[in-house]
Amino acid sequence: MRPRAPRGVLPGALGLALCCLCGALGPWRSGDHGWKKLIMVHHWPTTVCKEIENACSDPPDYWTIHGLWKHEWEKHGTCAAQLDVLNSQKKYFGKSLDLYKELSLNSMLQKLGIKPSINYYQISDIKDALASVYGVIPKVQCLPPRQGEEVQTIGQIELCLTKDLQLRNCTEHGEPRSRRWGDAWPARATAEGPGLEVCEDGPAFYPPPKETNH
Ligand SMILES: *[C@@H]1O[C@H](CO)[C@@H](O)[C@H](O)[C@H]1NC(C)=O
C-alpha cells in the first residue's frame, strides 16, 4: 500500500502486553469471568516518545510490545492466572514473546507496504490491510492531533485473542466501533497509555523515527 498523496507535512517500551480485560465494563463482558479476550498490544516507539514528551534518541524503528513487564504482570497477570497456559510470570511473558514473533506485525506491515512516511495513511486502509492478513479486525490507536497538527498519529496496534489464544476480532457485535475517553472503554483501564484513543476514521500520520541531530 502506498500512502496517499501528501496533504500537508507534519513534524513524531516494551510493553507486554498480552492484556486481558480484567474488570472490564460493558455489554461484551462475559458472564462472571469478567473478561474474555486477550490483547496483544504493539507500540510504535516514535509515537510513544512523543506521547510521553520524551525526546528519545534513536527510538527503535520497529513495533515493540507495550509496557513494562513487572507492571504488566501486576496489572494484568492476575487475570491471566485464570488460564493454564498463562498462569505464571514465565508463561505469561514467554507466551507473549511467542505471540509477538508469530504475529510478526513488523514483517506483515512491510509486506503490505505500510511504512513510516511523511505522507498520511487512511486508518481504514490500514485496518483493512491488517484484517486481510490476520483474518480478524485489529484495533488501532492514535494520539489525537495536537496544536498545529492536522491529523492524528498512529501509536498502537492491538490484535485480540480468545482465551484459547486464537485470533479474534477486537470489535464484536454490539460493541461501538469507537469510544472516546471518559466512556467505559475497557482498554483504557488496561492497555492504553496516556493520550491514546481509538483512531478516528480518516487520515493518520505514521511517523518515521526521528533523526537525531548530534
Ligand atoms: C469479524 O468481523 C467481520 C467484519 O465485521 C465479520 O465478517 C466476521 O464474521 C467477524 N468474525 C467473528 C469471528 O466474529
Side-chain angles (χ1 to χ4, degrees):
M1 183 196 305
R2 299 191 61 80
R4 303 285 171 93
R7 268 170 242 158
V9 178
L10 275 178
L14 185 85
L16 161 75
L18 195 55
C19 295
C20 48
L21 299 178
C22 274
L25 301 170
W28 53 94
R29 175 175 168 168
S30 71
D32 296 331
H33 299 105
W35 62 279
K36 59 179 180 181
K37 65 183 166 194
L38 293 156
I39 310 176
M40 186 68 190
V41 185
H42 301 82
H43 257 173
W44 181 242
T46 301
T47 303
V48 176
C49 294
K50 177 180 169 182
E51 176 185 3
I52 61 177
E53 289 171 1
N54 181 334
C56 321
S57 63
D58 302 319
D61 62 350
Y62 51 87
W63 289 79
T64 61
I65 312 177
H66 160 105
L68 295 169
W69 287 30
K70 179 166 186 292
H71 166 78
E72 295 302 323
W73 173 255
E74 286 169 358
K75 197 164 164 195
H76 309 299
T78 46
C79 56
Q82 295 175 18
L83 299 185
D84 285 347
V85 289
L86 296 176
N87 65 4
S88 70
Q89 286 200 37
K90 186 164 179 247
K91 288 189 202 173
Y92 180 70
F93 295 126
K95 182 51 84 178
S96 303
L97 279 179
D98 290 348
L99 282 167
Y100 176 71
K101 288 179 204 151
E102 280 169 30
L103 294 169
S104 56
L105 178 67
N106 287 289
S107 56
M108 291 301 179
L109 287 169
Q110 234 159 24
K111 278 183 206 160
L112 291 164
I114 301 173
K115 300 180 187 127
S117 173
I118 57 165
N119 299 330
Y120 302 152
Y121 286 94
Q122 292 294 321
I123 286 295
S124 56
D125 289 347
I126 289 179
K127 284 170 77 174
D128 289 351
L130 289 171
S132 73
V133 295
Y134 289 110
V136 292
I137 300 177
K139 185 165 133 191
V140 186
Q141 293 176 331
C142 290
L143 279 183
R146 299 202 171 155
Q147 211 170 10
E149 294 179 349
E150 291 176 30
V151 300
Q152 58 196 339
T153 302
I154 296 172
Q156 285 195 163
I157 294 179
E158 298 184 356
L159 290 163
C160 297
L161 301 129
T162 63
K163 286 185 174 181
D164 301 325
L165 304 183
Q166 302 299 310
L167 280 170
R168 52 157 288 165
N169 287 343
C170 283
T171 53
E172 53 195 90
H173 191 65
E175 182 177 347
R177 283 172 61 92
S178 165
R179 282 173 165 252
R180 310 291 305 192
W181 283 85
D183 290 345
W185 175 245
R188 184 185 169 189
T190 56
E192 289 182 7
L196 286 176
E197 298 180 356
V198 174
C199 301
E200 298 287 338
D201 284 337
F205 183 39
Y206 177 13
K210 241 185 232 146
E211 302 285 330
T212 49
N213 302 311
H214 296 286

